[in-house]
């Protein structure tokens, strides 16, 4: 990060419930990023597998690979290890056993995307076993620091990695040589373990499982720049403390256990912000607005002036609104985890210099986003095309299903989200105390979906309950009656 930029106060809050883990990243008090992990769902991005090639399709330079799940994973030619410029059918054969890593979850109708160029991330370094290149993250902009890190890691790689490469992460800025050497050795041992399993285990099988969300945050985000990492679950807190004590003991004091009676996300007003994630139209401070319309593989964003007229020329007023919109769009893409192709329809500007200012503002606004982003030049019509790396489904897709009452023209909370929300509210109302009965009144279709899980909910809330259907209620309305 550029040292001339103003410091950002980063706070990380983690909320664990029966069914999901939610991690919120706040920057200067504003929610900037959300991470979700649900117990019942398979989270396999970063996992390494011994897999079997099922089909090789030369026509699309791709292969479908069995990694042990119902749906085969997708492997494109650029992610295959082998001689450059060779056709895929000359590198891979049906039935061949290969080592692969999941780089993107199954999203919509698309299956998981995998690569044979596996990597092992650590806190300071990413080991690249199939590459020999040793490099430094471009986010470390201080030339003196880059040179120092490059020299240290080149020496450590030559000493310990036996021809393998690695990338120095941004978190390695100001790391000591001892810390880097400890991690190089650890990652090398981890790779030897993966190789050993590949040679002895049958295909398909899991060779290496990536960390859960709570520990990933400790590895990837927790740094001197983070003010606090607060967790509301004692077991996860202890796991993070143990991890940080081994890897970055100087950060141990930043990890805190939340003991408040008010649920952590309510105490910090995050629940209210999560509700706003489903809004399509968002106001801008000056009276303009943006409209976000998300589809499976494309997101269209429209910018409107609203009532803002400004005190200067129309061109300057429009440009100011577009710059403000660009900053809010960057924030919302990261917060909602919207990926793929994004088309932004800015308000038309006549001057090329104005269009340049807006694209520059958008580029500056996405700098803190951890996803890879590419922005194309703005057109004369005010359209900007950009891509944002997508590894998992967006927050909107995670939280919502197609509405059965409006036949897909809108979105509602999914039955799973409703069940977790109701269960959390019951637990908050009763403070987890056992005993007593309660009745939940729901929309009939939602009641039918939740009834099969009634016994599990009763175990979680330590109370017996009745589920009652009421056709007068809408999908997201419900009543909790303590009896």
């Amino acid at each position: 990060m550029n040292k001339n930029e103003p410091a950002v106060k980063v706070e990380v809050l983690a909320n664990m419930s029966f069914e999901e883990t939610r991690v919120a990243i706040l920057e200067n008090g504003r929610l900037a990023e959300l991470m979700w992990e649900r117990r019942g769902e398979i989270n396999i991005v970063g996992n390494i597998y011994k897999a079997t090639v099922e089909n090789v399709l030369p026509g699309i330079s791709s292969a479908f690979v069995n990694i042990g799940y119902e749906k085969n994973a997708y492997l494109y030619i650029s992610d295959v290890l082998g001689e450059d410029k060779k056709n895929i059918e000359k590198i891979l054969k049906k039935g061949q056993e290969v080592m692969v890593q999941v780089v993107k979850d199954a999203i919509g109708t698309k299956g998981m995307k995998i690569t044979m160029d596996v990597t092992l991330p650590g806190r300071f370094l990413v080991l690249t076993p199939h590459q020999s290149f040793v490099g430094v993250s471009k986010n470390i902009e201080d030339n003196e620091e880059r040179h120092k890190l490059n020299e240290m890691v080149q020496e450590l790689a030559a000493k310990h990695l036996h021809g393998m490469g690695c990338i120095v992460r941004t978190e390695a800025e100001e790391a000591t040589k001892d810390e880097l050497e400890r991690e190089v050795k650890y990652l090398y041992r981890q790779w030897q373990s993966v190789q050993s399993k590949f040679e002895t285990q049958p295909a398909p099988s899991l060779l290496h499982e990536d960390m859960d969300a709570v520990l990933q945050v400790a590895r990837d985000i927790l740094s001197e720049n983070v003010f606090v990492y607060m967790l509301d679950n004692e077991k996860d807190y202890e796991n993070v403390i143990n991890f940080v004590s081994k890897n970055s003991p100087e950060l141990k004091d930043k990890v805190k256990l939340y003991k408040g009676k008010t649920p952590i996300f309510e105490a910090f007003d995050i629940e209210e912000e999560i509700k706003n994630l489903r809004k399509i139209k968002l106001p801008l401070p000056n009276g303009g607005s943006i409209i976000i319309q998300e589809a499976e593989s494309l997101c269209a964003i429209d910018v409107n002036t609203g009532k803002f007229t400004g005190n200067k020329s129309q061109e300057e007023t429009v440009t100011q609104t577009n710059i403000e919109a660009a900053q809010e769009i960057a924030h919302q893409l990261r917060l909602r985890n919207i990926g793929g192709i994004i088309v932004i329809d800015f308000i038309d500007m006549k001057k090329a210099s104005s269009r340049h200012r807006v694209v520059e503002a958008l580029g500056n606004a996405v700098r803190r986003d951890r996803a890879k982003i590419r922005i194309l030049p703005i057109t004369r019509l005010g359209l900007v095309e950009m891509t944002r790396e997508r590894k998992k489904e967006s927050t909107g897709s995670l939280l919502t299903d197609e509405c059965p009452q409006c036949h897909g023209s809108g979105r509602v909370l999914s039955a799973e989200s409703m069940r977790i929300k109701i269960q959390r509210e019951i637990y908050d109302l009763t403070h987890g105390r056992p005993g007593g009965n309660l009745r939940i009144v729901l929309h009939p279709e939602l009641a039918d979906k939740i009834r099969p899980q009634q016994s599990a909910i009763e175990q979680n809330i330590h109370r017996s309950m009745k589920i009652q259907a009421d056709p007068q209620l809408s999908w997201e309305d419900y009543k909790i009656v303590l009896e």
Side-chain angles (χ1 to χ4, degrees):
M1 200 59 64
N2 193 331
K3 291 186 178 181
N4 295 324
E5 290 181 8
V8 175
K9 182 182 179 182
V10 179
E11 299 163 283
V12 184
L13 309 174
N15 166 237
M16 295 80 178
S17 62
F18 307 113
E19 304 290 349
E20 66 183 1
T21 295
R22 302 179 298 171
V23 181
I25 300 170
L26 284 73
E27 294 180 354
N28 292 336
R30 189 184 186 196
L31 183 60
E33 190 174 336
L34 274 168
M35 297 169 66
W36 299 72
E37 194 169 81
R38 288 189 168 166
R39 304 283 186 269
E41 294 178 1
I42 302 166
N43 182 32
I44 61 173
V45 172
N47 287 3
I48 300 174
Y49 294 86
K50 182 175 184 178
T52 306
V53 178
E54 292 284 323
N55 290 303
V56 180
L57 304 172
I60 56 171
S61 298
S62 304
F64 287 96
V65 179
N66 177 12
I67 64 170
Y69 296 97
E70 187 176 344
K71 202 169 190 177
N72 286 334
Y74 174 76
L75 179 65
Y76 187 60
I77 181 67
S78 59
D79 294 307
V80 176
L81 294 176
E83 294 179 44
D84 290 342
K85 299 180 182 177
K86 264 199 172 185
N87 295 332
I88 193 166
E89 69 272 22
K90 293 183 178 177
I91 307 172
L92 295 178
K93 303 295 179 188
K94 184 175 180 178
Q96 184 177 338
E97 294 181 344
V98 290
M99 184 190 295
V100 297
Q101 186 170 35
V102 179
V103 293
K104 188 187 291 184
D105 252 334
I107 300 170
T109 56
K110 297 176 182 176
M112 296 158 285
K113 189 172 184 288
I114 55 174
T115 181
M116 290 172 65
D117 191 9
V118 302
T119 59
L120 286 174
R123 174 161 184 77
F124 303 121
L125 308 164
V126 177
L127 181 68
T128 53
H130 300 301
Q131 307 287 341
S132 57
F133 175 75
V134 175
V136 179
S137 166
K138 64 178 184 295
N139 291 328
I140 298 176
E141 297 177 354
D142 185 289
N143 287 329
E144 191 176 327
E145 182 69 16
R146 287 180 66 86
H147 180 70
K148 184 184 80 173
L149 283 169
N150 189 54
E151 278 196 338
M152 282 195 293
V153 177
Q154 290 280 2
E155 183 185 329
L156 293 172
K159 184 177 177 182
H160 298 292
L161 295 183
H162 309 288
M164 292 188 291
C166 65
I167 305 295
V168 180
R169 303 182 65 181
T170 312
E171 287 75 11
E173 204 163 4
E174 299 179 5
T176 66
K177 188 173 182 179
D178 286 345
E179 288 174 324
L180 294 172
E181 184 164 28
R182 189 162 59 241
E183 185 154 289
V184 165
K185 289 179 178 179
Y186 167 73
L187 291 173
Y188 182 70
R189 287 196 304 271
Q190 207 173 39
W191 172 243
Q192 285 183 311
S193 172
V194 170
Q195 280 189 307
S196 175
K197 289 177 183 177
F198 181 79
E199 290 165 5
T200 56
Q201 291 184 9
S205 62
L206 176 65
L207 305 178
H208 170 77
E209 187 172 14
D210 203 8
M211 295 174 171
D212 62 21
V214 168
L215 288 177
Q216 278 184 37
V217 169
R219 181 189 69 195
D220 299 338
I221 296 172
L222 184 62
S223 67
E224 287 295 338
N225 299 323
V226 174
F227 179 72
V228 68
Y229 182 12
M230 191 177 291
L231 305 95
D232 68 356
N233 179 280
E234 193 163 356
K235 183 180 176 184
D236 286 287
Y237 163 77
E238 288 172 358
N239 288 340
V240 170
I241 284 290
N242 289 336
F243 176 82
V244 173
S245 297
K246 291 176 186 174
N247 294 278
S248 304
E250 72 282 3
L251 301 175
K252 190 176 172 182
D253 290 343
K254 293 180 180 287
V255 183
K256 306 290 183 186
L257 178 63
Y258 178 76
K259 297 179 180 178
K261 291 183 179 179
T262 305
I264 187 169
F265 273 25
E266 283 186 28
F268 289 86
D269 298 322
I270 293 170
E271 293 290 6
E272 197 59 37
E273 293 204 55
I274 289 174
K275 288 180 187 176
N276 293 333
L277 293 180
R278 296 165 55 210
K279 289 183 178 177
I280 293 173
K281 187 173 183 179
L282 297 167
L284 297 172
N286 66 16
S289 64
I290 59 173
I291 296 171
I292 302 173
Q293 294 176 306
E294 190 183 351
E296 185 175 316
S297 57
L298 182 140
C299 178
I301 302 175
D302 189 32
V303 181
N304 297 315
T305 48
K307 299 175 182 176
F308 181 56
T309 54
N311 300 318
K312 299 182 180 178
S313 67
Q314 183 183 3
E315 177 80 5
E316 184 60 27
T317 299
V318 165
T319 304
Q320 282 180 23
T321 303
N322 281 338
I323 288 172
E324 201 171 85
Q327 292 165 345
E328 184 60 26
I329 287 165
H331 176 79
Q332 291 296 328
L333 292 177
R334 183 180 171 198
L335 184 55
R336 298 177 184 222
N337 193 28
I338 295 172
I341 299 168
I342 298 147
V343 179
I344 307 168
D345 184 8
F346 285 106
I347 308 159
D348 290 351
M349 294 165 286
K350 293 178 182 177
K351 295 180 181 177
S353 59
S354 300
R355 295 195 289 271
H356 177 74
R357 282 171 62 194
V358 171
V359 175
E360 188 177 44
L362 182 62
N364 290 333
V366 300
R367 289 186 68 177
R368 291 193 63 82
D369 198 325
R370 294 185 296 137
K372 293 176 185 173
I373 289 173
R374 180 172 176 239
I375 302 171
L376 297 179
I378 193 169
T379 68
R380 287 186 64 84
L381 294 175
L383 293 176
V384 167
E385 297 171 43
M386 62 182 286
T387 59
R388 184 176 183 273
E389 180 186 29
R390 176 163 59 176
K391 292 186 176 181
K392 297 184 180 182
E393 64 180 337
S394 71
T395 304
S397 298
L398 175 79
L399 284 177
T400 63
D401 280 335
E402 280 193 357
C403 174
Q405 296 171 341
C406 61
H407 307 290
S409 62
R411 305 289 292 183
V412 295
L413 285 174
S414 65
E416 183 72 349
S417 293
M418 285 295 294
R419 181 179 71 80
I420 294 171
K421 181 183 178 185
I422 292 166
Q423 188 173 268
R424 186 188 297 125
E425 189 169 324
I426 292 168
Y427 195 85
D428 292 341
L429 281 170
T430 63
H431 300 289
R433 289 192 293 267
N437 301 321
L438 55 86
R439 178 162 46 95
I440 305 173
V441 188
L442 305 166
H443 182 282
E445 286 185 42
L446 182 57
D448 289 341
K449 291 192 175 187
I450 288 182
R451 273 196 190 98
Q453 299 174 74
Q454 181 172 341
S455 61
I457 297 172
E458 287 176 339
Q459 282 183 348
N460 287 332
I461 64 173
H462 311 301
R463 289 171 182 249
S464 60
M465 58 180 255
K466 293 178 185 175
I467 296 177
Q468 181 182 330
D470 183 354
Q472 300 299 315
L473 291 176
S474 67
W475 179 265
E476 290 190 14
D477 285 339
Y478 57 88
K479 298 173 186 173
I480 299 172
V481 183
L482 297 174
E483 297 180 332

